[in-house]
Amino acid sequence: MIESGRILPGEKLLEAQVAKSFSISRSPARSALAALCADKLLTESEGRGYLVAGRSSGCPDGRSATLDKLELTSTPQWERMYAAVERELCTRVLFGSVRITEERLAQHFNVSRTVARDVMARMHSVGALSKDRIGHWVAERVTAERIGHLFEMRRLLEPTALIHAAPFVSREKLGIMRERLAAEIARGGSDMDTAETDLHIDLLSHCPNREIVQALARTHVLFVPTRYLADPYLSIPGELIDNALAEHLRVFDALLAGKPARAARELQKHLDEADTRWMLRFDLVSRLEQPELPPYLSAIPS
């Protein structure tokens, strides 16, 4: 606004005015004004506020500037750090259980404890974190037994959920999901996360039996590593990813053919293969050296 002449030399800016105009708190408004001062676009007023630098063209110095109303759109702090923490936890729990400390998490990412607490609460909501008997936040080791139990739930519930959901999903939506899947296969399958979300979360969310949908939410923790297939600890061989996407495609083709029972059988086969692929992760990790823990995580003795 200063550079375009909408705010004129000699006009005054106040911290509260900037905060209100940009719908932000006073702290970032104060930082922004200080940065403009350092860049010599503003000078500190003898009274309150800041004056726009430069020679005024006839208007009295110190007149309050008129600011355009502007809603800033930015990624929340918790969201910017969530992926990094999630990826770290996904790796660590393959080796053992870990405890996460709120204060150290906040210090490591240079955020407030409120932001750190928000990240941990969101991870708790998807089953990535839980509290131990004395109230510490922990991420439990992902054992072969636990994975087996989660896949058992999925084999029992997902095919039924798919049959129930099928009448409530339009052909248009199915077609869009299939096109997205086919495009991903053509690209080489680097975005497995979208494919998993389309089939196992979005599609099954149309199941009218909400008890099944809520029960399946506990198994969504299995999908997290698919966001990080480039990670040496979380990856699976490329040919197995190709197989998984082809299995997804057969489910969608059966649904689009109007054969939900066949789609459920294809889904059952896919889940059997997915269980095997997850177990392969344990075999791969057993050959790797455990990386050093970040300061906000500590190992829990087994």
Side-chain angles (χ1 to χ4, degrees):
M1 294 180 206
I2 292 171
E3 289 179 344
S4 69
R6 284 177 286 163
I7 298 175
L8 299 172
E11 291 187 328
K12 178 179 282 190
L13 290 168
L14 298 174
E15 181 184 298
Q17 172 194 25
V18 172
K20 182 178 180 181
S21 294
F22 288 88
S23 299
I24 57 176
S25 69
R26 291 182 68 149
S27 178
R30 188 179 310 124
S31 297
L33 290 167
L36 289 168
C37 236
D39 288 342
K40 312 247 185 277
L41 290 172
L42 301 179
T43 60
E44 289 193 57
S45 171
E46 291 182 5
R48 293 188 310 134
Y50 298 81
L51 295 177
V52 179
R55 307 191 70 170
S56 60
S57 55
C59 65
D61 285 348
R63 183 180 70 179
S64 182
T66 301
L67 298 185
D68 296 340
K69 183 72 175 173
L70 180 63
E71 293 283 346
L72 296 179
T73 56
S74 62
T75 305
Q77 283 181 303
W78 72 264
E79 194 172 320
R80 289 197 292 271
M81 62 186 281
Y82 187 97
V85 178
E86 179 184 65
R87 183 172 184 166
E88 199 70 61
L89 283 177
C90 280
T91 299
R92 306 307 168 167
V93 295
L94 292 172
F95 294 93
S97 298
V98 292
R99 180 180 298 127
I100 184 167
T101 306
E102 179 187 299
E103 182 178 7
R104 291 179 182 175
L105 180 65
Q107 290 173 349
H108 184 77
F109 287 95
N110 194 27
V111 298
S112 70
R113 291 185 67 168
T114 300
V115 173
R117 194 175 303 125
D118 198 8
V119 168
M120 293 162 71
R122 290 171 190 274
M123 289 191 162
H124 172 61
S125 70
V126 297
L129 288 177
S130 59
K131 283 198 171 183
D132 64 15
R133 56 186 179 80
I134 55 176
H136 291 141
W137 285 107
V138 298
E140 295 181 8
R141 182 176 187 177
V142 176
T143 63
E145 181 182 36
R146 185 183 176 202
I147 296 302
H149 289 165
L150 290 172
F151 269 102
E152 184 176 20
M153 278 184 66
R154 293 181 66 189
R155 282 192 291 268
L156 289 169
L157 298 177
E158 284 197 23
T160 299
L162 182 65
I163 290 173
H164 289 334
F168 299 95
V169 185
S170 68
R171 282 189 61 83
E172 180 184 10
K173 182 164 188 172
L174 287 172
I176 291 172
M177 287 181 171
R178 191 201 183 282
E179 285 177 15
R180 190 155 52 218
L181 177 59
E184 185 55 40
I185 291 172
R187 282 194 298 269
S190 59
D191 185 12
M192 187 71 183
D193 186 36
T194 298
E196 296 278 54
T197 300
D198 277 353
L199 176 58
H200 299 292
I201 298 178
D202 289 351
L203 185 56
L204 298 185
S205 71
H206 289 80
C207 172
N209 186 329
R210 305 318 295 171
E211 298 299 329
I212 291 180
V213 174
Q214 289 173 22
L216 283 172
R218 289 179 53 81
T219 70
H220 292 172
V221 68
L222 293 170
F223 305 137
V224 176
T226 61
R227 298 171 196 161
Y228 309 110
L229 289 176
D231 189 293
Y233 297 94
L234 302 174
S235 64
I236 56 175
E239 66 272 15
L240 296 183
I241 296 173
D242 294 341
N243 293 344
L245 294 175
E247 292 158 17
H248 281 219
L249 196 63
R250 286 193 284 272
V251 174
F252 280 108
D253 285 343
L255 288 171
L256 285 165
K259 298 179 178 180
R262 190 179 88 193
R265 289 193 296 272
E266 293 293 347
L267 178 57
Q268 189 85 51
K269 294 178 194 174
H270 166 62
L271 292 172
D272 289 338
E273 294 299 326
D275 192 350
T276 301
R277 284 188 286 268
W278 239 107
M279 292 306 168
L280 178 63
R281 266 201 185 99
F282 288 106
D283 183 51
L284 293 172
V285 167
S286 67
R287 306 173 200 169
L288 299 172
E289 183 179 349
Q290 182 177 1
E292 186 179 350
L293 287 168
Y296 56 86
L297 293 179
S298 56
I300 300 174
S302 56

